[in-house]
Amino acid sequence: MPTWSEILTELKVESAQGNSAPFDFIRRKYLSELSKYTNRNIILYATAFTQKGGAPELLSVTEEDVQGMMEVSYGLEKKPVDLIIHSPGGSPEAAEGIVEYLHAQFPEVRVIIPQIAMSAATMIACSGASIVMGKHSNIGPVDPQLIINSPNGPTSNPAKAIIDQFYKALQEVNEPNKQAWAILLNQYGPSVITQCENYIKMSENLIRDWLNRFMFKTEAPDVKAPIIENIASFLANHDNFKSHGRHISREKAESKGLKIEYLEKDSQLQDLVLSVFHATTHTFSSTPAMKIIENQKGKAFIKIQN
């Protein structure tokens, strides 16, 4: 398997030989080789969130990504697709658009996580027929986050934590030395708690729906129902994690009922997937690229940081 440093050496060789786009050349070479090996379509969806900071719309799952998926899906054969995803997450509504579009385009979607897929990216992973993960791969909680305008500016907060804090404040605001809770209560609009409750329900319901329709579509209803409920309630419950950034290993994900394939069980698949991933991270580290959506034929939708 070409390691991170060996891919870097390949890039230097291509550059020395006069290749004006070595990063694209090497990344696309391995995407093509991966597709030939699996006989499946390949779509890479990756952002530079582990390499760079930047505007959320450049790093997160957004509505524009559906346009990217349309671009790279056009012209591909109507055969199964492997979605390689590396993302911190983003909008659940945008994730829904991506999932529904991909499943309308391809007879089967398998998700491959070369390192990490969090939040809404975890939701997308749950729509796969299976999830391929290495020993180093992780998914994350899907409890929704809301932006609240506080005296210190906008902050991202777990919806469940907002609900818990709100009702705690209501109970204690009139107690001696607890009047400071009044400041917190004043910052919440009249619909915030209902919004929080609705977002939590939406995240759970989307996962239930996708698991039922895709990952467990062939199982009998009485067999898959408790498995699906266990997965959805686990991933969407903030109390299970206490932090939206907690990592969930493949072993933990598998123990909750998700269909996990171990990347290391197929050494050739592992080599090619990680070569694609290393080439992609080099692209992010050495170019202005912030988000890459790309297929095995080299057709790409790339967001650049100005």
Side-chain angles (χ1 to χ4, degrees):
M1 174 185 70
T3 63
W4 183 92
S5 59
E6 288 169 338
I7 294 290
L8 180 59
T9 299
E10 278 194 68
L11 290 163
K12 289 178 178 178
V13 169
E14 287 297 323
S15 182
Q17 291 177 347
N19 190 330
S20 60
F23 296 99
D24 290 343
F25 177 80
I26 295 296
R27 190 180 65 252
R28 289 167 182 172
K29 180 184 79 169
Y30 285 113
L31 280 167
S32 177
E33 289 184 10
L34 177 58
S35 178
K36 289 175 183 175
Y37 176 70
T38 61
N39 194 32
R40 298 166 69 96
N41 292 308
I42 307 293
I43 293 178
L44 169 68
Y45 176 91
T47 74
F49 77 105
T50 53
Q51 283 77 34
K52 308 170 184 174
E57 65 271 15
L58 295 177
L59 297 174
S60 302
V61 177
T62 68
E63 293 291 350
E64 188 180 32
D65 296 339
V66 178
Q67 182 181 352
M69 291 295 173
M70 293 170 64
E71 177 71 15
V72 303
S73 297
Y74 182 78
L76 293 182
E77 296 180 50
K78 297 296 182 182
K79 63 181 182 180
V81 64
D82 282 340
L83 175 66
I84 303 173
I85 187 166
H86 179 67
S87 168
S91 163
E93 294 91 341
E96 183 178 19
I98 290 170
V99 167
E100 297 299 338
Y101 177 76
L102 290 178
H103 281 278
Q105 287 294 113
F106 304 102
E108 180 185 276
V109 179
R110 180 173 67 170
V111 175
I112 301 175
I113 302 175
Q115 183 182 352
I116 190 167
M118 301 292 282
S119 191
T122 295
M123 295 176 69
I124 294 172
C126 288
S127 75
S130 62
I131 307 172
V132 181
M133 299 176 71
K135 62 181 69 175
H136 53 279
S137 304
N138 289 278
I139 57 174
V142 303
D143 59 305
Q145 310 291 293
L146 267 71
I147 303 299
I148 298 294
N149 291 317
S150 70
N152 297 320
T155 59
S156 179
N157 302 268
K160 181 60 164 55
I162 293 172
I163 294 170
D164 291 345
Q165 189 178 55
F166 179 81
Y167 285 110
K168 183 177 181 181
L170 282 181
Q171 292 173 352
E172 298 182 358
V173 68
N174 293 320
E175 295 180 13
N177 302 319
K178 295 289 183 70
Q179 286 80 14
W181 279 124
I183 299 173
L184 181 143
L185 290 171
N186 287 334
Q187 80 183 37
Y188 291 147
S191 66
V192 167
I193 301 305
T194 300
Q195 282 181 307
C196 289
E197 293 170 343
N198 287 340
Y199 270 122
I200 292 171
K201 290 177 183 176
M202 180 183 71
S203 295
E204 285 195 44
N205 288 340
L206 284 174
I207 289 178
R208 288 189 187 100
D209 179 43
W210 296 340
L211 290 171
N212 180 59
R213 290 163 55 200
F214 306 125
M215 188 173 286
F216 296 99
K217 65 179 181 180
T218 61
E219 277 81 351
D222 60 331
V223 173
K224 63 184 176 181
I227 300 173
I228 290 171
E229 184 59 34
N230 187 54
I231 295 169
S233 60
F234 170 71
L235 291 175
N237 189 346
H238 176 73
D239 291 339
N240 290 332
F241 306 101
K242 308 302 181 185
S243 166
H244 194 59
R246 290 286 294 276
H247 289 188
I248 301 170
S249 70
R250 66 181 182 186
E251 289 78 14
K252 185 69 170 179
E254 189 175 42
S255 74
K256 294 299 178 180
L258 286 166
K259 292 185 178 180
I260 305 296
E261 295 183 45
Y262 284 28
L263 183 60
E264 295 83 4
K265 286 190 174 181
D266 185 333
S267 60
Q268 184 68 8
L269 179 67
Q270 179 189 27
D271 288 354
L272 291 169
V273 166
L274 293 183
S275 295
V276 168
F277 181 61
H278 293 325
T280 303
T281 58
H282 281 303
T283 304
F284 289 140
S285 296
S286 301
T287 75
M290 298 292 284
K291 180 184 290 183
I292 299 173
I293 307 174
E294 189 168 36
N295 68 22
Q296 78 270 16
K297 295 184 176 182
K299 196 167 190 180
F301 185 93
I302 300 176
K303 298 292 291 185
I304 303 294
Q305 185 176 49
N306 293 325

